[in-house]
Amino acid sequence: MPARPSASRRTVLRGAAVAPAAGLGLAACSAPGDPAGANPTTPVDLGAENEVAKGGARLYRDRNVVVSRDAGGELKAYSTVCTHAGCVINKLQGTTLVCPCHGSEFDAVTGKVLRAPATEPLGEVPVRASKGRIIAGPGA
């Protein structure tokens, strides 16, 4: 049997460029609404209530949640799973969340999209303060 020629660099690169378009790419992102452990499934103690100042926000990377406090002192929490491609957002600049995959930006106080490609706001997560602690997730 004759030896098969090995693929050239150009062939490999062409295949890598075509694979994502065909839905065959390696995903760095999960499917929207389906990332494992994306949101708390039970009430979770995130930390001290004073960790989130009025008009500020704090990113809880290990829980995929951002908590903000508006000027009136009300806490809000949102999933940090980008609504564009399901990537987990890991960067907070002031009160702006920045998705590392495609650059979508979200307001951490309202969950609204500030910059495309995302078009849907972040999912809200129930949150409350209890005994000086921030509790997020169902039943919070």
Side-chain angles (χ1 to χ4, degrees):
M1 178 175 263
R4 252 178 112 169
S6 62
S8 70
R9 182 173 185 268
R10 176 174 280 156
T11 302
V12 171
L13 291 175
R14 251 192 228 143
V18 171
L24 303 173
L26 296 175
C29 304
S30 300
D34 191 22
N39 295 311
T41 56
T42 60
V44 175
D45 183 330
L46 295 176
E49 183 181 0
N50 64 5
E51 291 179 340
V52 182
K54 282 186 181 179
R58 175 147 185 195
L59 180 59
Y60 296 90
R61 286 184 183 95
D62 59 333
R63 300 295 184 171
N64 295 332
V65 173
V66 65
V67 177
S68 63
R69 188 183 301 270
D70 66 19
E74 183 182 358
L75 290 173
K76 289 282 191 173
Y78 297 94
S79 168
T80 57
V81 176
C82 182
T83 58
H84 170 246
C87 296
V88 176
I89 299 168
N90 61 4
K91 187 175 186 180
L92 178 65
Q93 296 176 323
T95 58
T96 301
L97 292 159
V98 182
C99 181
C101 293
H102 305 107
S104 293
E105 294 182 3
F106 299 88
D107 184 328
V109 178
T110 65
K112 292 182 180 176
V113 175
L114 300 175
R115 181 175 170 200
T119 59
E120 297 294 320
L122 294 173
E124 193 165 350
V125 174
V127 66
R128 66 180 164 84
S130 177
K131 299 177 184 173
R133 308 294 292 173
I134 297 172
I135 311 297

